[in-house]
Amino acid sequence: MYKSTWYEIYDYLSEGLYRFYDKHQENSGKELFDLCKNHPLFVELNPWIRKFNHEWNRHSIDPIHVFASFNYNKINSYKRAELINFYFDILRVDVSPLGEYDVDFDGIPSPRIDKIVVARTLEAQNQIWNFFVTFYSAKKNKEQYDFISQSNIFKIIKQWYGVAIPSLTIFLFWIDSDNFLPLDNNTKNYLASKGYSITENEYDYI
C-alpha cells in the first residue's frame, strides 16, 4: 500500500496557509484562530488555545503555532492525521482525507511545544506570517533563500516570544526538508556521532 511522505503532506498544508494569507492578509491570524478555537479535536489536542481566548486576550495564531499543533512528541498518528484533515478542510486544500496509515510520519522532529505555542504579540505574529509567506514563496518558485540572511532573522526572532534558533530551524525543516536541517539537540548529537561538524555561526547555516 502506498504511503504519502510527511513532507508531501506538509507542503500541501503550507500551500493552503500561503493561499489563506493571500486572501486574508494581516487578518490571517485572527481568521485562523476563530476557525480553530472551538473545534473539539483542536482544543483536545491543543488546550493552550483556551488560554489564548480566556486568559491572555490573544485572539490570533501564526504558522509556527499551526505546525507545532500536530508535531509534538505525544501525538499519535491517528490524531495527527485527523488534525491535518481539519486544516485541509478550513484552508480548502483539495486533498483526499488522510487515514491513520496513509502517511509515513517517520523522521519528523517532534519537540516539546510548551514554549513554542505561547501567546506572542500581534506584531511578532505578523512578522512570522510575513516570514512564512516569503519563505514559502521562495520554495514554491525555486528561488534562493538569500532573504533569510539579509533579513537578520536570527536577531529578529529574539522578539518572537517562545521561538529560538532550534525551533526556527525545525519550522524551516517542516516546510522544506530538502534544504534545511533542524538544529535541535537530538539532530545535532546524531550528526556529531556521524562525524559532521555543526556550525556555531547561525548565518553559516543558511
Side-chain angles (χ1 to χ4, degrees):
M1 175 178 133
Y2 172 77
K3 281 190 174 187
S4 298
T5 60
W6 65 266
Y7 45 86
E8 291 175 297
I9 299 303
Y10 285 24
D11 191 62
Y12 292 139
L13 178 59
S14 296
E15 176 71 24
L17 283 171
Y18 180 81
R19 288 190 285 104
F20 190 84
Y21 185 85
D22 187 55
K23 178 179 180 180
H24 298 287
Q25 297 292 308
E26 68 273 7
N27 292 320
S28 296
K30 182 182 183 305
E31 294 290 333
L32 196 55
F33 175 86
D34 287 342
L35 292 166
C36 293
K37 67 180 181 181
N38 293 319
H39 187 270
L41 180 63
F42 187 95
V43 175
E44 175 196 344
L45 298 179
N46 295 282
W48 48 266
I49 203 165
R50 293 196 188 102
K51 293 183 178 180
F52 275 48
N53 204 19
H54 302 299
E55 296 182 26
W56 297 333
N57 194 30
R58 190 76 73 242
H59 307 291
S60 176
I61 57 176
D62 59 53
I64 295 178
H65 290 125
V66 171
F67 275 90
S69 71
F70 57 87
N71 277 305
Y72 55 90
N73 54 9
K74 292 185 179 179
I75 193 169
N76 61 42
S77 295
Y78 172 75
K79 290 188 174 180
R80 191 196 302 258
E82 285 297 292
L83 192 51
I84 293 172
N85 286 334
F86 163 68
Y87 282 126
F88 283 169
D89 182 41
I90 63 174
L91 297 173
R92 302 187 183 280
V93 177
D94 187 17
V95 176
S96 299
L98 304 175
E100 179 178 2
Y101 303 108
D102 290 342
V103 183
D104 182 358
F105 288 118
D106 287 345
I108 305 176
S110 300
R112 286 185 55 184
I113 63 167
D114 48 332
K115 292 182 179 178
I116 300 175
V117 296
V118 294
R120 286 179 275 280
T121 65
L122 292 180
E123 180 182 5
Q125 289 191 34
N126 285 333
Q127 288 176 348
I128 292 169
W129 274 103
N130 287 327
F131 175 80
F132 164 76
V133 168
T134 305
F135 181 81
Y136 186 72
S137 178
K139 177 190 176 184
K140 182 182 174 74
N141 296 312
K142 299 181 180 178
E143 298 170 350
Q144 297 296 314
Y145 289 117
D146 295 340
F147 79 92
I148 299 180
S149 55
Q150 294 168 0
S151 69
N152 288 321
I153 188 62
F154 294 110
K155 292 182 180 178
I156 293 173
I157 64 169
K158 293 178 181 177
Q159 304 168 33
W160 297 357
Y161 184 44
V163 180
I165 290 171
S167 48
L168 175 67
T169 60
I170 289 172
F171 179 59
L172 298 179
F173 179 74
W174 284 333
I175 299 170
D176 187 359
S177 59
D178 285 342
N179 289 298
F180 293 89
L181 281 174
L183 294 183
D184 59 295
N185 286 335
N186 288 337
T187 303
K188 289 169 71 174
N189 290 338
Y190 174 77
L191 291 174
S193 73
K194 298 297 182 181
Y196 293 99
S197 60
I198 309 299
T199 179
E200 296 299 321
N201 182 335
E202 295 93 347
Y203 289 98
D204 287 342
Y205 170 81
I206 305 300

